[in-house]
Coordinates of all heavy atoms in Angstrom, one line a residue:
Chain B
R94 N 99.1 -8.1 8.5 CA 98.3 -7.1 7.6 C 99.2 -6.5 6.5 O 98.7 -5.7 5.8 CB 97.7 -6.0 8.5 CG 96.8 -6.5 9.5 CD 95.9 -5.3 10.0 NE 96.8 -4.2 10.6 CZ 96.7 -3.0 10.3 NH1 95.8 -2.5 9.4 NH2 97.6 -2.1 10.8
I98 N 97.7 -3.8 3.6 CA 98.1 -2.4 3.6 C 98.7 -2.0 2.2 O 98.3 -1.0 1.6 CB 99.1 -2.1 4.8 CG1 98.3 -2.3 6.1 CG2 99.6 -0.7 4.6 CD1 99.3 -2.4 7.3
R101 N 96.5 -1.7 -0.9 CA 95.6 -0.5 -1.0 C 96.3 0.6 -1.8 O 95.7 1.6 -2.2 CB 95.2 0.0 0.4 CG 94.2 -1.0 1.0 CD 93.5 -0.5 2.2 NE 94.2 -0.6 3.5 CZ 94.0 -1.5 4.5 NH1 93.0 -2.4 4.3 NH2 94.7 -1.5 5.6
D103 N 98.1 3.1 -1.1 CA 97.9 4.5 -0.7 C 99.0 5.0 0.3 O 98.9 6.0 0.9 CB 96.5 4.8 -0.2 CG 96.1 3.8 0.9 OD1 97.0 3.0 1.3 OD2 94.9 3.8 1.3
T104 N 100.0 4.1 0.5 CA 101.1 4.4 1.5 C 102.4 4.4 0.8 O 102.6 3.8 -0.3 CB 101.1 3.4 2.6 OG1 101.3 2.1 2.1 CG2 99.9 3.5 3.4
E105 N 103.4 5.1 1.4 CA 104.7 5.1 0.8 C 105.7 4.7 2.0 O 105.4 5.0 3.1 CB 105.1 6.5 0.3 CG 105.0 7.6 1.3 CD 105.2 9.0 0.7 OE1 105.3 9.1 -0.5 OE2 105.2 10.0 1.5
R133 N 112.3 -3.1 9.1 CA 111.3 -2.4 8.3 C 111.4 -0.9 8.4 O 111.6 -0.4 9.5 CB 110.0 -3.0 8.7 CG 108.9 -2.8 7.8 CD 107.6 -3.6 8.3 NE 107.2 -3.0 9.6 CZ 106.7 -3.8 10.6 NH1 106.7 -5.1 10.5 NH2 106.4 -3.2 11.7
K136 N 106.0 3.6 7.3 CA 105.1 4.0 6.2 C 104.3 5.2 6.6 O 104.1 5.5 7.8 CB 104.2 2.8 5.9 CG 104.8 1.7 5.1 CD 103.8 0.6 4.9 CE 104.6 -0.6 4.2 NZ 103.9 -1.8 4.3
R137 N 103.9 5.9 5.5 CA 103.0 7.0 5.7 C 102.0 7.1 4.5 O 102.4 6.6 3.5 CB 103.8 8.3 5.8 CG 103.1 9.5 6.3 CD 104.0 10.7 6.4 NE 104.7 11.0 5.2 CZ 105.7 11.9 5.0 NH1 106.2 12.5 6.1 NH2 106.2 12.1 3.8
A138 N 100.9 7.7 4.7 CA 100.0 7.9 3.6 C 100.7 8.7 2.5 O 101.4 9.6 2.8 CB 98.7 8.6 4.0
V144 N 94.4 7.1 5.1 CA 94.5 5.7 5.2 C 93.7 5.1 6.4 O 94.0 4.0 6.8 CB 96.0 5.2 5.2 CG1 96.7 5.6 4.0 CG2 96.7 5.8 6.5
Y149 N 88.0 4.4 4.5 CA 87.6 3.3 3.6 C 86.1 3.0 3.8 O 85.4 2.8 2.8 CB 88.4 2.0 3.9 CG 89.9 2.2 3.8 CD1 90.8 1.7 4.7 CD2 90.5 2.9 2.7 CE1 92.1 1.8 4.7 CE2 91.9 3.1 2.7 CZ 92.7 2.6 3.6 OH 94.0 2.7 3.6
A214 N 94.2 0.5 14.1 CA 95.0 -0.3 13.2 C 96.0 0.6 12.5 O 95.8 0.9 11.3 CB 94.2 -1.1 12.3
N215 N 97.0 1.0 13.1 CA 98.0 1.9 12.5 C 98.7 1.1 11.4 O 99.0 -0.1 11.5 CB 99.1 2.3 13.6 CG 100.1 3.3 13.1 OD1 100.5 3.2 11.9 ND2 100.5 4.2 14.0
I216 N 98.9 1.8 10.2 CA 99.6 1.1 9.1 C 101.0 0.6 9.5 O 101.6 -0.2 8.9 CB 99.7 2.0 7.9 CG1 100.3 3.3 8.2 CG2 98.3 2.1 7.3 CD1 100.7 4.1 7.0
N217 N 101.6 1.2 10.5 CA 102.9 0.8 11.0 C 102.8 -0.2 12.1 O 103.8 -0.5 12.8 CB 103.7 2.0 11.5 CG 104.2 2.9 10.3 OD1 104.8 2.3 9.3 ND2 103.9 4.1 10.3
H218 N 101.7 -0.8 12.3 CA 101.5 -1.9 13.3 C 100.8 -3.1 12.5 O 99.7 -3.5 12.9 CB 100.7 -1.5 14.5 CG 100.8 -2.4 15.6 ND1 100.0 -2.3 16.7 CD2 101.5 -3.6 15.8 CE1 100.2 -3.3 17.6 NE2 101.2 -4.1 17.0
P219 N 101.5 -3.6 11.5 CA 100.9 -4.7 10.7 C 100.8 -6.0 11.5 O 100.1 -6.9 11.0 CB 101.8 -4.8 9.5 CG 103.1 -4.4 10.0 CD 102.9 -3.3 11.0
A321 N 103.5 7.6 15.9 CA 102.7 7.1 14.8 C 103.6 6.3 13.9 O 103.1 5.2 13.4 CB 102.1 8.3 14.0
G324 N 104.0 2.8 15.2 CA 102.9 1.9 15.0 C 101.9 2.0 16.1 O 101.0 1.1 16.3
D326 N 98.5 2.6 17.9 CA 97.2 2.5 17.2 C 96.2 3.6 17.7 O 95.3 3.9 17.0 CB 96.7 1.1 17.4 CG 97.6 0.1 16.8 OD1 97.7 -0.1 15.6 OD2 98.3 -0.6 17.6
A383 N 97.2 10.2 8.4 CA 98.4 9.7 7.6 C 98.9 8.4 8.0 O 99.7 7.7 7.3 CB 99.5 10.8 7.6
Y384 N 98.5 7.9 9.2 CA 99.0 6.6 9.7 C 97.8 5.7 10.2 O 98.0 4.6 10.5 CB 99.9 6.8 10.9 CG 101.1 7.7 10.6 CD1 101.0 9.1 10.8 CD2 102.2 7.2 10.0 CE1 102.1 9.9 10.5 CE2 103.3 8.0 9.7 CZ 103.3 9.4 10.0 OH 104.3 10.2 9.7
D385 N 96.6 6.3 10.2 CA 95.5 5.6 10.8 C 95.7 5.4 12.3 O 95.7 4.3 12.8 CB 95.0 4.4 10.2 CG 93.5 4.0 10.6 OD1 92.9 4.8 11.3 OD2 93.0 2.9 10.2
V386 N 96.0 6.5 13.0 CA 96.0 6.5 14.5 C 94.6 7.0 14.9 O 94.1 8.0 14.5 CB 97.1 7.4 15.1 CG1 97.0 7.3 16.6 CG2 98.4 7.0 14.5

Side-chain angles (χ1 to χ4, degrees):
Chain B
R94 297 196 304 132
I98 294 162
R101 291 194 277 257
D103 50 8
T104 57
E105 59 187 3
R133 199 172 61 217
K136 283 177 185 160
R137 192 177 57 192
V144 299
Y149 304 137
N215 185 325
I216 54 167
N217 288 309
H218 192 188
D326 301 286
Y384 304 94
D385 199 5
V386 180

